[in-house]
Amino acid sequence: MTNPPSKIGRGSAPGKVILCGEHAVVYGQPAIAAPVNRVQANVTVRAGESGSGLQVVSRNLQGFSIAERQRIQQRLWAVAATVQEMLGGLHHWPPLGDVMADWQPLQVMPKMPTNLLIEIDSSVPVERGLGSGAAIGVAMMRAFADFLGLQLTTEQISAMAFETEKLHHGTPSGIDNTVVAYNQPVWFVRGHGVERLRVGADLRLLIADSGTRGSTATVVGDLRQRHDAAPATYDPLLQTIGDIAVSCRGAIEAGDVGKVGGLFDRNHVLLQRLDLSNDSLDRLVAAAKAAGALGAKLSGAGRGGNMIALITPEREAAVRDALLAAGANAVIGTVVAAG
Ligand code: PMV
């Protein structure tokens, strides 16, 4: 089915937070993630001037050096070019074969214009573990689809955003594009599709930025090297993280928030043992716990980026103050709502 192409295509997508199971999920263990709607990536696509080619303009890169801005801009251009290429010639994308099988005969593919102006306006912090790359990938996919008048399922959007995630992360597990595209709490096992997670009671979180950026590709690559050199050392730790994710799922479904907090703490210790934390993250985790958080852990790739603290409404102000006093750059509150 096709709609008439719109002059300006618009797409948006939320940020995300990993509740437990990061890194182990790359090795086939389960993980849990939830969307963060307080931050959003918004993308517009419109026809560019004749001869302009593909132009990508990104707002919100203040705070980056010129060199970093160039690096990020180049990557965003590559993301846009990948989306343009994918939607312009889906038969060239064998990895998408399965999810596109029922799609191609149903839609008349409009011709992909060469001259396009893409504008990205995102409040998802870049390289902080909040899923900025996935949010932009999904938002861009939606904006292109809107521009072209294409109907894409969430599964198709997620699958294509996974292809753009590879540009950021090298070997992503797929959890980021999945939670961001579905915009719901997910139970994720690599290669097993997506399962919505039932949430028995609200999970109230503070997400604190440690102030340093962690490169997901570097941290994931480093763990991969260490793992492959000594699998007997690393596999039991990754398996234990997977077991924690299983327990965490049970506790979340049962609405046992206190138990979820304890599992966050255990998960953080294992991430420390995998050498994925750093002093700033550990300081924030300790400060949150001392101020009455039910549990706290780093979230995402680690060695920088964010940590999360599970709180009660009564302790929210105290934990927020403690995180700021312990050096957090910014603290965002979010609730993974029961349902
Ligand atoms: O994008 P981040 O920093 O939230 O990290 C993604 C989570 C990892 O498990 C570390 C990597 C992956 O692809 O799942």
Side-chain angles (χ1 to χ4, degrees), residues 35 47 49 77 82 88 94 108 113 122 192 212 222-223 234 278 282 285 336:
E49 286 177 15
W77 189 89
T82 303
V108 180
S122 173
H192 286 258
T212 47
D222 171 59
L223 179 60
Y234 286 90
N278 67 10
D282 288 345
V285 165
V336 184

Side-chain angles (χ1 to χ4, degrees), residues 43 45-49 52-56 76-93 96 103 109-118 137 140-145 147-148 150 152 160-161 163-164 167:
V43 176
V45 176
R46 69 189 87 202
E49 286 177 15
S52 64
L54 176 66
Q55 283 187 299
V56 181
L76 293 174
W77 189 89
V79 169
T82 303
V83 174
Q84 186 186 31
E85 200 185 329
M86 274 192 294
L87 288 177
L90 280 168
H91 48 282
H92 295 313
W93 290 86
L96 300 174
W103 179 84
M109 192 66 214
K111 194 167 159 14
M112 176 64 75
T114 321
N115 304 314
L116 286 171
L117 174 60
I118 317 295
M140 198 170 308
M141 203 64 63
R142 290 188 172 135
F144 265 86
F147 179 74
L148 296 167
L150 290 174
L152 297 175
M160 287 194 263
E163 297 301 311
T164 70
L167 298 168

Side-chain angles (χ1 to χ4, degrees), residues 299-325:
S299 175
R303 299 232 187 108
N306 282 291
M307 55 74 69
I308 53 175
L310 184 65
I311 48 162
T312 56
E314 299 75 41
R315 302 307 299 165
E316 176 160 359
V319 175
R320 184 185 289 272
D321 290 349
L323 287 169
L324 290 168

